[in-house]
Amino acid sequence: MAQTEKKGGLLRKSSASKKPWKEKVVLMYDEIFTTEDPSKHNPRFWEELFLMKVNLEYLEGKLEALDGEELMKIKDNINSLFQHCIQALGEEHPIRVVNALQVPQ
């Protein structure tokens, strides 16, 4: 039987047989941690990413869990992340600027 959970101000239905939902920003971070360019299937990937509230705990955990070999496999995506952070700092949209500032902390 499904139960209703309140998490982060959102109501979510859960059941023992289903995985909990992930935030969209977390799903986007997961795309960065693959070997494929995350903007390949979504040209607006980076613009959308910086409109979402940063989940530093998740991002730091993903980075800390990588060993050197894994990091080398995704270095292009990590470099793109920081390159797009720098580009977002020049934007007029204040949310993008604030979120871009929080990523490299």
Side-chain angles (χ1 to χ4, degrees):
M1 177 147 94
Q3 296 177 339
T4 302
E5 291 179 16
K6 186 170 183 176
K7 211 171 197 183
L10 299 174
L11 291 177
R12 299 176 184 202
K13 293 204 177 212
S14 66
S15 73
S17 64
K18 293 185 180 181
K19 293 181 184 178
W21 292 341
K22 288 186 177 181
E23 300 172 84
K24 183 172 181 180
V25 72
V26 167
L27 294 172
M28 292 181 85
Y29 291 157
D30 286 345
E31 289 183 49
I32 294 169
F33 287 87
T34 65
T35 56
E36 188 173 297
D37 177 2
S39 63
K40 181 179 180 180
H41 300 292
N42 179 3
R44 296 185 43 96
F45 178 86
W46 299 107
E47 294 167 23
E48 292 175 12
L49 180 69
F50 293 113
L51 284 175
M52 290 183 261
K53 185 177 180 190
V54 176
N55 185 330
L56 275 179
E57 183 179 332
Y58 187 82
L59 189 56
E60 287 173 351
K62 290 289 281 188
L63 284 168
E64 289 172 359
L66 296 173
D67 63 26
E69 188 176 313
E70 293 169 324
L71 188 58
M72 290 307 292
K73 288 179 182 176
I74 64 164
K75 81 173 182 167
D76 290 340
N77 287 352
I78 299 297
N79 287 339
S80 275
L81 172 62
F82 288 103
Q83 176 188 4
H84 285 91
C85 282
I86 293 167
Q87 287 176 348
L89 293 176
E91 300 243 349
E92 291 184 22
H93 199 293
I95 291 174
R96 283 194 176 119
V97 173
V98 168
N99 290 336
L101 281 169
Q102 292 179 6
V103 169
Q105 289 184 353

